[in-house]
Amino acid sequence: MLTFLTLYCLDLLKNSPQGRHLKKNINIIPSLKIKVVSAFSFLFLFCSPILNASEKNHFNLYLSGIKAGELTYIKKLKNSEYSILGVMRSTGIFSVFAKYRFEGYTTGEIKNGDLYPKSYTEKSDTGKRTTDRKILYKNGIPSVISDEKRKPYWLQPSTQKNSLDPMSALITVLGDQTSETPCETAFIVYDGARQFSIRLFEPSFSKGKLRCNGLFTRLGGYSKKQLSKGKKFPFFIEFKNKGKLYEAHLFIVTTLRGRVKFVRD
């Protein structure tokens, strides 16, 4: 979900030396295991001829009007199964002064139109710090495998039943909208540490376009300092008419570091 990925990557930059120039009961398993799993997932998704034929989406990211990065995600739907790979990275001058890269991969099942993740793998790199995390789901309850040291305010996975992972949230928010029930989306996301909600509302139509307002709300797993700087972050998504559906092509979110815009190629 773009809001989460934007705020997440900006939070990572805040703690990196390059970024400063720009003014759970969690079961721990050795990092080697998660890195092998993560590498296999990404290699499989990029190299499989079946998945290469899947839907690919690309957005350019602009921060204060300057291109700062790119988001690419590949979505595959087959019967009741789905998988998503997303990569978000800095580009241009930002890759020199504020390097970041986020990779996420999810597999799951679709039931009655709702997404139920089975596994989620995440890797982030700020140039100073690399983080690996994997979430496995059993009966809707996540368990986390990570090489990170658990922070005292992070939420425990056992309390997060039926929450979505970030990549499932991504395709839920950016999925095609219908004219009958547009912008009727609300769900809870858990990234292995933090919990937040995403809501779309107030649809409006104009000249073949649909606009959905949205709200990202931090719920738990954040430090007091993080919450003091902001809990609610508004955004909106603009969709273009595509036959009987509307396809997302513009996404704008207000963050602690300014206004961030994503534009589909």
Side-chain angles (χ1 to χ4, degrees), residues 67-251:
K67 185 176 179 181
E70 297 176 342
L71 169 71
T72 301
Y73 69 94
I74 302 171
K75 177 178 67 175
K76 175 179 172 58
L77 303 177
K78 184 177 181 181
N79 300 323
S80 62
E81 303 291 322
Y82 73 93
S83 58
I84 319 124
L85 168 69
V87 178
M88 183 172 170
R89 65 185 183 90
S90 56
T91 59
I93 191 67
F94 278 81
S95 63
V96 177
F97 295 103
K99 177 184 176 181
Y100 67 85
R101 182 179 178 88
F102 170 91
E103 300 173 349
Y105 175 56
T106 293
T107 63
E109 187 177 9
I110 305 172
K111 298 178 182 178
N112 299 319
D114 295 324
L115 303 184
Y116 292 87
K118 293 180 178 179
S119 68
Y120 167 73
T121 303
E122 168 190 309
K123 183 173 183 177
S124 60
D125 183 4
T126 66
K128 177 184 178 182
R129 182 182 63 187
T130 299
T131 301
D132 292 281
R133 183 182 296 166
K134 185 177 180 68
I135 305 177
L136 300 175
Y137 298 82
K138 184 176 182 180
N139 298 323
I141 300 174
S143 61
V144 179
I145 305 167
S146 177
D147 57 1
E148 301 170 275
K149 182 179 180 180
R150 182 178 183 273
K151 293 181 173 24
Y153 49 81
W154 284 359
L155 299 179
Q156 297 202 20
S158 59
T159 66
Q160 301 301 307
K161 185 175 182 179
N162 293 330
S163 57
L164 287 183
D165 66 276
M167 297 311 301
S168 296
L170 174 72
I171 65 169
T172 299
V173 168
L174 291 184
D176 293 342
Q177 297 280 335
T178 66
S179 58
E180 289 79 15
T181 57
C183 309
E184 293 185 3
T185 303
F187 52 89
I188 301 294
V189 185
Y190 176 63
D191 69 355
R194 297 167 290 268
Q195 182 196 66
F196 50 92
S197 66
I198 299 292
R199 184 166 68 96
L200 294 181
F201 55 95
E202 294 180 352
S204 60
F205 294 89
S206 178
K207 298 180 180 179
K209 295 181 181 180
L210 164 66
R211 170 171 165 154
C212 296
N213 288 328
L215 187 65
F216 171 103
T217 304
R218 290 172 165 174
L219 298 177
Y222 297 88
S223 67
K224 291 182 179 180
K225 183 177 181 180
Q226 288 172 324
L227 292 176
S228 69
K229 291 185 176 181
K231 294 183 179 180
K232 297 180 183 294
F233 299 88
F235 65 90
F236 73 83
I237 306 175
E238 194 171 90
F239 299 80
K240 284 185 177 180
N241 183 258
K242 185 182 178 182
K244 295 182 179 180
L245 300 173
Y246 288 83
E247 179 183 75
H249 78 99
L250 175 66
F251 173 92

